[in-house]
Amino acid sequence: LVDGAVEMDQQGGKLERSDVYPLLEDSKPTVQLERIRVEWAKEQKKKEMGEEPSLMRALYKAYRWEVFGTFGIKFVYDCCVFSGPPVLNLMLSFLASKDQPQ
């Protein structure tokens, strides 16, 4: 994808809409805007009860599962990267040991 864009740029061409993959329905800006509007409307109702509305709270409520899901994937990835060298060391130590059966 990137190579095709670089090649097109070198040829002096412009990217067209057909060069980009279509978004999933849930990822379209109108759907995302509606999620924020719903949560912001809830925050605005709190103003009537004397509580200060919070944009950060509205964003948190709108996107919390995406953020936590991404955090979970990143955490698992970091654990794998961190544990890779010690596991490799154990495997090499096992293979180099003279006590193993032949």
Side-chain angles (χ1 to χ4, degrees):
L1 184 64
V2 174
D3 292 337
V6 170
E7 181 181 320
M8 188 172 290
D9 181 52
Q10 290 172 348
Q11 295 173 357
K14 293 184 179 179
L15 289 175
E16 302 292 330
R17 282 193 178 270
S18 61
D19 297 328
V20 180
Y21 291 110
L23 289 174
L24 297 174
E25 195 63 36
D26 290 345
S27 298
K28 292 192 176 176
T30 54
V31 174
Q32 299 301 320
L33 181 60
E34 187 59 31
R35 288 173 67 183
I36 293 172
R37 282 186 177 159
V38 167
E39 295 301 330
W40 183 242
K42 291 177 187 177
E43 286 295 317
Q44 291 294 323
K45 288 181 184 177
K46 292 181 180 182
K47 191 175 188 179
E48 298 169 359
M49 299 185 305
E51 192 176 333
E52 189 70 27
S54 170
L55 179 60
M56 289 302 293
R57 196 175 328 157
L59 289 171
Y60 167 76
K61 288 180 180 178
Y63 296 111
R64 64 180 169 244
W65 300 118
E66 285 87 350
V67 171
F68 289 136
T70 304
F71 171 75
I73 292 169
K74 174 71 170 144
F75 180 75
V76 169
Y77 169 78
D78 287 344
C79 288
C80 291
V81 169
F82 182 75
S83 64
V87 169
L88 181 61
N89 187 23
L90 288 172
M91 289 170 46
L92 291 174
S93 297
F94 174 76
L95 292 174
S97 70
K98 300 191 187 296
D99 297 335
Q100 67 179 343
Q102 303 224 356

